[in-house]
Amino acid sequence: MPGTQLTVTLSGGEVADARTVVKALEGAFGAPDELPADENATVRTATFSAGTGRGAPRDAGRLSAPVTVTVQGTPQAVRKASETLARAFTAHDEGAAAGDQEQERQLRLEP
């Protein structure tokens, strides 16, 4: 998916949990533009600018607490991210919204 942009918004858990989720997506999307780093933030974000990953989820590790993840981008990117996260974690679909060229899906990931 060259040229694809995926924005990931994470809430809940610690910064380490946000990094764990991002690490799981790296196999499908390549490295993010920047890793979540702010220890004091309640909402963290990561952006992937191109789908250059191998497509397989990485063994990201375990979450210490539930994390709510919103993925936003093209329908293909959102579908791929949702499937990747569902394979890597226990995921509950919390809903979706679709626009003309972008989609948004919210998942709740459990430890």
Side-chain angles (χ1 to χ4, degrees), residues 9-95:
T9 307
L10 308 109
S11 60
E14 303 291 329
V15 70
D17 294 314
R19 289 180 184 156
T20 297
V21 172
V22 169
K23 184 178 175 184
L25 291 169
E26 286 180 349
F29 293 94
D33 294 340
E34 191 173 333
L35 284 173
D38 188 348
E39 294 285 341
N40 298 315
T42 56
V43 175
R44 297 170 176 95
T45 60
T47 303
F48 296 86
S49 58
T52 58
R54 298 175 313 278
R58 296 181 64 182
D59 181 14
R62 297 185 52 91
L63 300 173
S64 68
V67 176
T68 300
V69 178
T70 303
V71 291
Q72 181 180 17
T74 65
Q76 305 93 310
V78 169
R79 182 174 50 254
K80 188 173 187 178
S82 299
E83 291 169 355
T84 300
L85 293 172
R87 285 193 305 269
F89 306 101
T90 300
H92 304 282
D93 191 345
E94 299 284 315

